[in-house]
Amino acid sequence: MQIRALVASYETFYGGDPNRIHNVQLVAHLIDGHVIAPGATFSFNEATGARTAEKGFRVAPVIINGELGTGLGGGVCQVSTTVFNAAYEAGLPITARTNHALYISHYPQGRDATVNYPDTDLKFVNDTGHWLLLRTWVGSSSLTVALYGTPMHRRVVTDTRPLVETAPAPVNQTIDRSLPAGARVVDDSGAPARSTSVRRRVYSASGKLLDDTVFYSSYRSEPELVRVGPAPKPTPKPKPRPKQKPATTTTTTTTTTATKATQTTPQP
């Protein structure tokens, strides 16, 4: 099969609750030892199958519909991201890759890969002309994925665009009556919507350009969670004084009648 030496490898670090660590270790063991024929496509979902409780998967933190929650198999994307980066560094054609809905800072910028059985998959093609063997080493805090085969001595050049904000974080505000009036407490600062891209150019050992691909990533915003105290009660307005009625003036008109006396002189 001409599996002779290391072609490429990648290591990521992780933490979290015990269930998440268990899921990372479980799915890493499921893909360990897979061989990929010349010209064949590796499918992460086909290699792992459905993530079910019967297989031993546990409920752990996971991104569901763009929001943090819990679900069966949380932590699997740690493994798919590590596999993606191993194939990336090997210079293999990557035919299916989807970024997470939310930005995760502990993954290499723009080089995360989420999966969700059966619809969201990670796929890459073995175009080396020789067999490849995928191996994993998983510990309590780190995971390494390696690809072995016949080294092609490809050179990978990466150009990463800055992470830019495309929309502000929305604010979810609720009233907390245990807080003083007018107080404001930020429980989660949230995050704006962001985007980035990574350009990968793959050259052969002789310097020929074999592949030039741009991987685009857009991440949703996370709301800022704020609790505020109730609004202060408005100060009551003073009652207006009753208007006083104007004083009534009585005008008395007195009419005086003058009597005119007429003196009559007797005629002689």
Side-chain angles (χ1 to χ4, degrees):
M1 299 174 75
Q2 298 182 322
I3 297 173
R4 298 171 177 170
L6 179 68
V7 175
S9 67
Y10 203 85
E11 180 182 24
T12 60
F13 298 89
Y14 63 89
D17 63 24
N19 283 359
R20 184 181 190 277
I21 295 173
H22 168 84
N23 291 337
V24 171
Q25 295 172 342
L26 176 59
V27 76
H29 290 310
L30 287 175
I31 65 173
D32 185 34
H34 269 71
V35 289
I36 309 162
T41 296
F42 173 85
S43 163
F44 189 91
N45 281 341
E46 288 181 5
T48 62
R51 273 71 86 178
T52 64
E54 289 75 17
K55 287 184 178 179
F57 285 95
R58 298 176 183 173
V59 174
V62 67
I63 299 173
I64 303 174
N65 297 325
E67 297 181 356
L68 288 173
T70 57
L72 196 64
V76 170
C77 294
Q78 179 87 34
V79 184
S80 59
T81 291
T82 313
V83 172
F84 167 77
N85 279 278
Y88 180 101
E89 294 296 341
L92 302 175
I94 297 167
T95 55
R97 173 262 173 185
T98 304
N99 63 271
H100 288 77
L102 304 179
Y103 179 68
I104 302 174
S105 60
H106 63 262
Y107 290 148
Q109 181 180 308
R111 289 170 56 173
D112 57 309
T114 187
V115 290
N116 182 45
Y117 189 88
D119 50 349
T120 306
D121 203 356
L122 168 67
K123 296 180 180 181
F124 63 86
V125 178
N126 175 12
D127 69 338
T128 66
H130 307 282
W131 286 80
L132 288 174
L133 169 66
L134 190 153
R135 294 299 315 275
T136 65
W137 287 269
V138 60
S140 59
S141 61
S142 68
L143 167 69
T144 299
V145 173
L147 292 167
Y148 290 89
T150 300
M152 306 299 292
H153 305 292
R154 292 174 176 177
R155 183 168 63 93
V156 175
V157 178
T158 297
D159 297 306
T160 303
R161 290 185 60 192
L163 189 66
V164 297
E165 297 184 5
T166 56
V171 179
N172 288 357
Q173 184 169 286
T174 58
I175 296 176
D176 186 345
R177 300 195 178 277
S178 67
L179 295 175
R184 188 176 188 271
V185 176
V186 178
D187 292 323
D188 192 324
S189 58
R194 289 170 280 192
S195 67
T196 187
S197 64
V198 176
R199 181 186 181 188
R200 184 191 70 165
R201 284 169 289 173
V202 180
Y203 296 90
S204 68
S206 63
K208 179 183 177 181
L209 180 63
L210 302 177
D211 182 68
D212 188 348
T213 303
V214 178
F215 300 92
Y216 295 95
S217 300
S218 296
Y219 305 99
R220 298 182 187 179
S221 62
E222 299 176 70
E224 180 183 14
L225 304 180
V226 179
R227 289 180 293 120
V228 297
K233 294 182 180 180
T235 304
K237 295 181 180 179
K239 294 182 179 180
R241 294 181 179 181
K243 294 182 180 180
Q244 295 181 352
K245 295 181 179 180
T248 303
T249 303
T250 303
T251 303
T252 303
T253 303
T254 303
T255 303
T256 303
T257 303
T259 304
K260 184 178 180 182
T262 304
Q263 183 177 2
T264 304
T265 303
Q267 296 294 323

